[in-house]
Amino acid sequence: MKQNFSAKQLALIGMFAAVAVVTSLISVPMPSGVAITLQTFGMALIGYLLGPAGVWSVFIWVLLGAVGLPVFSGMRGGFEVLAGPTGGFILGFPFMVLLCGLSRRQPVFPLAVLSGLLGLLVLHLFGILHYARLNGLNFWASALVMSIPYLFKDVASVIAACLVAKTLRRRLPAEVFVSGRP
């Protein structure tokens, strides 16, 4: 299926790729190798505001990082980051954005949060499974290191992103975010 984006949509996709970069660079390193960042908030916000088209913003961010630009947490870049301990989360972000974005057309708060939490579950599954495979751990040992310590922050991030998106939609002109496709 061919997708045609308007100039406005392309500008928004590029702008939100920058949001992905900025929310990744604000980080606090942790002993597990997974830094505390604003990425989950930023990715949920991208999905809530751009809908499924927000996945393109994440693809741009991943591509920039994969070719070596320092756009991932800790100002790191390169394929080794994707293959490293946090690579599962990076590869899971498009799915989270997609799930958050599915609620964009009908932004009923509880349903939007629920879609975001489902996206968060998928994101954490990617992170846990990737880390377990890398380190020869079982699912629960990996979850104890890579997921459980971050759940409260990530759930709060999804809820906050939903609230911020709702506020922005109310305060900005509708034509900033609403369009026919996608």
Side-chain angles (χ1 to χ4, degrees):
M1 175 194 274
K2 185 179 176 187
Q3 287 187 334
N4 294 318
F5 292 106
S6 69
K8 177 181 75 174
Q9 288 170 318
L10 289 173
L12 285 170
I13 288 168
M15 183 178 79
F16 279 96
V19 168
V21 171
V22 170
T23 58
S24 299
L25 296 180
I26 301 168
S27 68
V28 177
M30 299 300 285
S32 67
V34 176
I36 294 175
T37 69
L38 294 176
Q39 282 176 305
T40 307
F41 171 82
M43 297 299 172
L45 187 66
I46 290 167
Y48 287 135
L49 290 175
L50 294 186
V55 171
W56 289 105
S57 297
V58 181
F59 284 154
I60 291 168
W61 169 72
V62 171
L63 183 62
L64 291 172
V67 298
L69 293 176
V71 297
F72 298 138
S73 71
M75 293 193 72
R76 296 174 302 141
F79 185 75
E80 63 274 4
V81 178
L82 295 173
T86 60
F89 289 99
I90 294 169
L91 298 175
F93 278 129
F95 298 98
M96 180 183 172
V97 169
L98 178 64
L99 287 165
C100 288
L102 292 178
S103 69
R104 183 179 85 112
R105 299 256 186 238
Q106 301 295 329
V108 178
F109 182 74
L111 294 177
V113 169
L114 187 60
S115 71
L117 294 177
L118 182 59
L120 187 62
L121 174 66
V122 171
L123 172 70
H124 277 254
L125 283 174
F126 268 79
I128 291 167
L129 293 173
H130 180 79
Y131 190 78
R133 185 188 56 79
L134 270 180
N135 294 290
L137 299 173
N138 68 39
F139 180 87
W140 293 110
S142 179
L144 195 57
V145 173
M146 298 302 283
S147 176
I148 294 170
Y150 303 93
L151 280 177
F152 179 77
K153 184 227 28 122
D154 286 350
V155 168
S157 294
V158 166
I159 293 168
C162 191
L163 290 169
V164 169
K166 184 178 177 182
T167 301
L168 287 173
R169 285 191 171 285
R170 230 185 7 239
R171 296 197 176 169
L172 293 174
E175 58 272 2
V176 171
F177 299 108
V178 177
S179 59
R181 263 189 22 202

